[in-house]
Amino acid sequence: MQIRAQTKAVDLNAALAQSAKAVEAALESLLPQPTGLHARAQEAMRYATFAGGKRLRPFLVMQTARLFDVAEDNAVRAAAAIEVLHTYSLVHDDLPSMDNDDLRRGRPTTHRAFDEATAILAGDGLLTIAFEILSHPATHPSADVRCELISNLARAAGSDGMIGGQMIDMKAAEQTLTAEQVMLLQRLKTGALFEFSCEAGAILGQARKEHRDRMRSYAQDFGLAFQITDDLLDVTSTAEKTGKAVGEDKGQGKATLISIYGIDGAKAEARKLIARANATLAHYGDKAVELQALATYLLDRES
Ligand code: IPE
Ligand code: IPE
Ligand code: MG
Ligand code: MG
Ligand code: MG
């Protein structure tokens, strides 16, 4: 494969901020305004969502959509859908019966700020509204395209995707997993939603299979590198920087590649994955430099 020289300078922070702004404006209008007897659940949905997450999954949707000339009005809805679904996964991940965490995105977790029942319901509300957003004709004029987004997101979030990964993650505390099993756990728990995020742009753009395969391949390497660096941050960073408790994985007997390869070995693995992810995008030349910069940033990220 020919790798084109990159000529375009990238300001990744500016690109991330611009995409986050567009997605947050969409989320603001898409999430229900708290009203009526059930307002508390909707307040908690907003509390969990508007807490300053990095908005990486929406960025991936917006950037991959650009590769296939998708209108921003369409892309931003798919970006909002994956962000609310991801936020639901965090609300439930933090629950006392799961990771039992008190801090998320720099403030008390939803069950701490509200109560456990409200956090469960707010998570359910965020999960289901993701599909409502995708199903609306404003997401794409073609019902086939909308249906494909819905079915792909359902698969990515379901029991053979993110939920399956969370199940292995919980069970792993009671048994020792091999490196391959830890990678499977990470591919499901974290990778599946990244795969959806990258493929969504190609689905919206009705791109050919080869493009969709390439988006998935980039996402798989990106997702694994992302979770390795999440696990690294748990060992090397601080709660001030990450906005969530650190040192928890070891304490809870979580299976991570750090426990298998050590810090340097895990970093080397992440570096290899990032290089491969970026080589996959070489096909798109200058159009993909933001996506390449995002993968490269993973290795040095502090939050
Ligand atoms: C945290 O994801 C959960 C994992 C999948 C490891 P992010 O690090 O993307 O969290 P936010 O959205 O920025 O808070
Ligand atoms: C959570 O993984 C992944 C999902 C929510 C699906 P972690 O448990 O490692 O995420 P953090 O470290 O709490 O953000
Ligand atoms: Mg967890
Ligand atoms: Mg957790
Ligand atoms: Mg973690």
Side-chain angles (χ1 to χ4, degrees), residues 163-205:
I163 287 173
Q166 288 287 68
M167 189 73 254
I168 303 175
D169 184 275
M170 299 310 293
K171 296 269 299 167
E174 303 155 17
Q175 62 198 95
T176 309
L177 300 186
T178 63
E180 284 70 33
Q181 289 172 324
V182 176
M183 285 204 218
L184 171 68
L185 146 64
Q186 294 177 328
R187 214 165 31 239
L188 295 179
K189 116 172 159 173
T190 315
L193 295 191
F194 280 118
E195 265 185 64
F196 172 82
S197 307
C198 294
E199 205 179 350
I203 296 174
L204 283 165

Side-chain angles (χ1 to χ4, degrees), residues 53-75:
K54 295 181 291 297
R55 316 298 194 199
L56 294 185
R57 293 156 194 80
F59 183 74
L60 289 167
V61 176
M62 304 293 279
Q63 287 293 329
T64 54
R66 268 189 51 217
L67 294 183
F68 306 108
D69 301 318
V70 174
E72 190 172 316
D73 285 354
N74 294 147

